Amino acid sequence: MATVASKFQLERFLTGERIIQQGEIGDKFYIIQDGEAEVIVKDEDEDEDEDDKVRTLRPGEYFGEIALLQNIPRTASVQASGPLIIFSLAKPDFLDALGGHPFAKLKLQQESARRIASAEQSA
């Protein structure tokens, strides 16, 4: 775990800054250290200017795992609600870490499936 922890990078974002953009290729996993972020989903059938805020992420919560685990484009955008400090882990390091921890990988897969199902129900 110490090896994985040493690979996390500290990143800072200002209010309104996008951390990830829906539709982009996933390259990092994120954990919020301080501040809040909004998860935003753009419905392709709606007006281009319409975004739906689906939840707020707080310290200790994570995001970005769905695209990494399923090798698909980002399913949502995440934007800083105020000043935000996060830790990020590059995709290769994330996948390497999970390779040695099958229980953690299973839990993340279950959570990502739950998040996708929840987003589909609210759409």
Side-chain angles (χ1 to χ4, degrees), residues 1-101:
M1 284 302 204
T3 303
V4 173
S6 71
K7 294 185 180 191
F8 275 92
Q9 299 294 313
L10 183 69
E11 296 187 41
R12 298 174 189 272
F13 294 88
L14 300 174
T15 304
E17 277 190 273
R18 289 271 168 118
I19 297 98
I20 62 174
Q21 181 68 40
Q22 184 175 341
E24 290 181 343
I25 301 300
D27 62 346
K28 294 180 187 176
F29 170 74
Y30 303 90
I31 300 174
I32 296 178
Q33 196 268 330
D34 190 41
E36 293 184 350
E38 298 174 341
V39 179
I40 301 165
V41 176
K42 182 179 292 289
D43 186 342
E44 295 174 7
D45 296 331
E46 292 183 16
D47 182 342
E48 281 189 29
D49 294 331
E50 292 292 319
D51 290 338
D52 292 327
K53 178 182 161 190
V54 295
R55 71 183 284 223
T56 299
L57 299 169
R58 294 179 173 79
E61 293 188 284
Y62 59 87
F63 61 95
E65 81 287 356
I66 294 172
L68 302 181
L69 289 169
Q70 298 189 17
N71 202 31
I72 59 173
R74 299 284 190 195
T75 58
S77 297
V78 177
Q79 176 176 301
S81 301
L84 183 68
I85 300 172
I86 60 175
F87 290 102
S88 65
L89 186 62
K91 182 178 181 176
D93 296 325
F94 174 78
L95 295 175
D96 284 348
L98 290 182
H101 296 88

